[in-house]
Amino acid sequence: MDMRPVLVALCLLLVSPITGHWWASGSQLVMDPMVICKKTRRLKGRLAEICKKEPTVLKEITKGMSLGTKECQHQFRNRRWNCTTTRRSLRKILMKDTRETGFVNAITTAGVTFAVTRACSTGELLECSCDKAVKRKGNPRMPPEHPAIGSMADGDWEWGGCGDNIQFGYSMSKAFMDAPHRKRRDMKMLVKLHNNDAGRLAIRNFMRTECKCHGLSGSCTLRTCWRKMPPFRDVGNRLKERFDGAAKVIPSNDGRSFIPEGPTIKPPSRLDLVYSEDSPDFCKPNRKTGSLGTQGRHCNATSPGVEGCELLCCGRGFDTYHTKEKVNCQCRFKWCCEVTCSTCLEKKAISICR
Ligand SMILES: *[C@@H]1O[C@H](CO)[C@@H](O)[C@H](O)[C@H]1NC(C)=O
Ligand SMILES: *[C@@H]1O[C@H](CO)[C@@H](O)[C@H](O)[C@H]1NC(C)=O
């Protein structure tokens, strides 16, 4: 008998005081940091410390996983597998080593990095603060990206303010997301660690510089600049591009690393996503692969892309329903300052996979 769901439920009951309301949302089960803590209970080191002594960090990790999951669902909303958190699907996806597995791992790790880093900046974590490091003045390698009003020569600015502490977020995410797997170094683990890192780097390597002007009436005689994370949507878009171009890899001869499957394919960089198993087509429900099938999914009858009915419905065909939808129309601006609209009925066609 499979005891795992029981164990997970038990674990969640035990830890609910720490995670607050999170245990209540059933869909979070698969991606719950408490499961990681529970699995590695007998481990020592940094991970055990976080699990036992740093509940506020753990809370940010939970938020980060949820942020990653939401972004995954946004990026995959039109795909056959739509990053559903339904346990019977996501659990299977995470046990495999397909492109989808790689994306889920990367975006989840990125979410954790992002949430922990942000919590440092907002002062929610005692363990860290924002990045106040005084860097070399006017570092020419990192010029401000936003030219000030009334242009000024590079160099008339300095680091200051409260930058995002990406170092802390990076290492905390590494300690938590990578640590449970250090013992076993099989192919799946190598791939997972690589994709986790690609997720973290999708933030760390794309930090921005933001500046603020000082001086009399906006004269901007001095600027203060700091480093800031990109918006998480940008991180999601970037990782989705890496998903589209993900490289299939095979174990190398020494078994301690991987190489591209085809000899002519260039080795993946640290930023690339990799995978070792081909994905199922996700057309029909399948318990083994975690596919839920696409019957009943909304599709776009005129699009040639993945969201188009032809591809999304796997050639089974689709039904189109005509409905009317209430929309705002004939909006007028009334001086001052009000906008009045009427309600109109607009024809709308909805296509659904057979
Ligand atoms: C995701 O797909 C499943 C089954 O394929 C469907 O039940 C669910 O409504 C979809 N979710 C969204 C947000 O479209
Ligand atoms: C459907 O696809 C077409 C062509 O790609 C696009 O112009 C249209 O906006 C899409 N419709 C919806 C509802 O997304």
Side-chain angles (χ1 to χ4, degrees):
M1 194 175 101
D2 185 8
M3 289 293 285
R4 287 180 68 171
V6 180
L7 282 175
V8 169
L10 199 63
C11 157
L12 288 167
L13 280 175
L14 289 173
V15 299
S16 56
I18 299 175
T19 47
H21 63 280
W22 280 105
W23 62 272
S25 54
S27 61
Q28 291 297 323
L29 281 178
V30 184
M31 279 295 192
D32 197 308
M34 300 320 291
V35 177
I36 296 178
C37 282
K38 171 82 183 181
K39 268 187 195 160
T40 49
R41 194 172 237 188
R42 266 158 294 166
L43 277 192
K44 289 183 186 140
R46 192 75 190 93
L47 178 72
E49 239 170 72
I50 301 169
C51 286
K52 283 181 193 149
K53 298 186 189 139
E54 301 179 40
T56 49
V57 173
L58 218 44
K59 206 171 127 199
E60 295 306 325
I61 289 173
T62 309
K63 277 191 208 164
M65 287 182 165
S66 170
L67 178 69
T69 304
K70 287 212 185 82
E71 185 59 27
C72 181
Q73 287 175 347
H74 170 78
Q75 296 291 341
F76 279 27
R77 66 198 179 283
N78 293 324
R79 297 185 63 86
R80 287 179 188 162
W81 186 70
N82 60 8
C83 201
T84 172
T85 46
T86 306
R87 204 179 150 67
R88 70 194 138 96
S89 178
L90 187 56
R91 206 170 77 97
K92 286 282 155 54
I93 296 286
L94 288 174
M95 281 160 61
K96 299 237 176 284
D97 195 14
T98 63
R99 288 202 306 159
E100 283 79 9
T101 319
F103 184 82
V104 171
N105 284 330
I107 197 82
T108 309
T109 307
V112 169
T113 308
F114 192 92
V116 171
T117 304
R118 189 176 50 191
C120 292
S121 297
T122 56
E124 274 159 85
L125 290 179
L126 291 176
E127 287 86 349
C128 57
S129 68
C130 57
D131 181 19
K132 294 200 187 82
V134 181
K135 301 181 183 89
R136 200 156 56 83
K137 190 176 177 178
N139 182 349
R141 282 198 306 119
M142 283 198 242
E145 279 141 23
H146 311 290
I149 322 141
S151 82
M152 53 195 301
D154 266 358
D156 288 27
W157 58 281
E158 59 187 24
W159 292 112
C162 183
D164 279 334
N165 191 346
I166 185 66
Q167 279 79 12
F168 187 85
Y170 183 95
S171 58
M172 190 54 80
S173 150
K174 194 171 172 63
F176 197 84
M177 304 301 282
D178 291 7
H181 315 293
R182 284 220 183 102
K183 289 263 156 65
R184 234 170 6 112
R185 281 252 166 196
D186 60 6
M187 183 66 178
K188 259 186 200 162
M189 239 9 107
L190 287 172
V191 166
K192 177 168 179 152
L193 294 179
H194 177 99
N195 290 330
N196 282 359
D197 204 46
R200 286 187 287 268
L201 293 180
I203 302 174
R204 199 186 76 178
N205 285 16
F206 297 89
M207 298 291 281
R208 300 155 173 217
T209 304
E210 257 184 20
C211 296
K212 192 180 161 190
C213 279
H214 306 283
L216 289 172
S217 57
S219 64
C220 209
T221 43
L222 180 69
R223 275 184 294 170
T224 309
C225 302
W226 57 88
R227 302 293 276 165
K228 201 173 167 14
M229 287 189 291
F232 200 65
R233 177 53 39 85
D234 289 7
V235 177
N237 290 342
R238 193 165 290 123
L239 288 174
K240 174 62 171 37
E241 275 169 32
R242 302 285 168 173
F243 168 85
D244 290 331
K248 188 170 184 189
V249 293
I250 53 172
S252 63
N253 284 335
D254 65 7
R256 276 182 301 198
S257 59
F258 51 73
I259 52 172
E261 189 185 36
T264 57
I265 301 168
K266 85 172 163 56
S269 82
R270 275 181 79 188
L271 299 177
D272 289 319
L273 295 187
V274 297
Y275 66 99
S276 68
E277 285 175 43
D278 290 322
S279 301
D281 62 19
F282 293 112
C283 282
K284 289 183 186 158
N286 183 327
R287 282 167 161 277
K288 280 203 185 112
T289 61
S291 167
L292 298 177
T294 64
Q295 192 188 3
R297 288 281 300 278
H298 287 214
C299 59
N300 182 330
T302 54
S303 167
V306 287
E307 76 277 17
C309 294
E310 193 48 42
L311 282 176
L312 192 67
C313 311
C314 305
R316 291 185 309 260
F318 56 96
D319 298 307
T320 301
Y321 302 93
H322 295 278
T323 59
K324 286 181 180 154
E325 191 187 21
K326 278 185 189 163
V327 291
N328 284 334
C329 59
Q330 293 167 355
C331 293
R332 263 180 309 217
F333 180 73
K334 272 208 314 209
W335 188 264
C336 177
C337 298
E338 207 184 327
V339 178
T340 54
C341 299
S342 337
T343 309
C344 301
L345 286 177
E346 206 169 70
K347 274 189 198 163
K348 208 183 160 204
I350 296 173
S351 302
I352 290 176
C353 291
R354 277 182 194 149

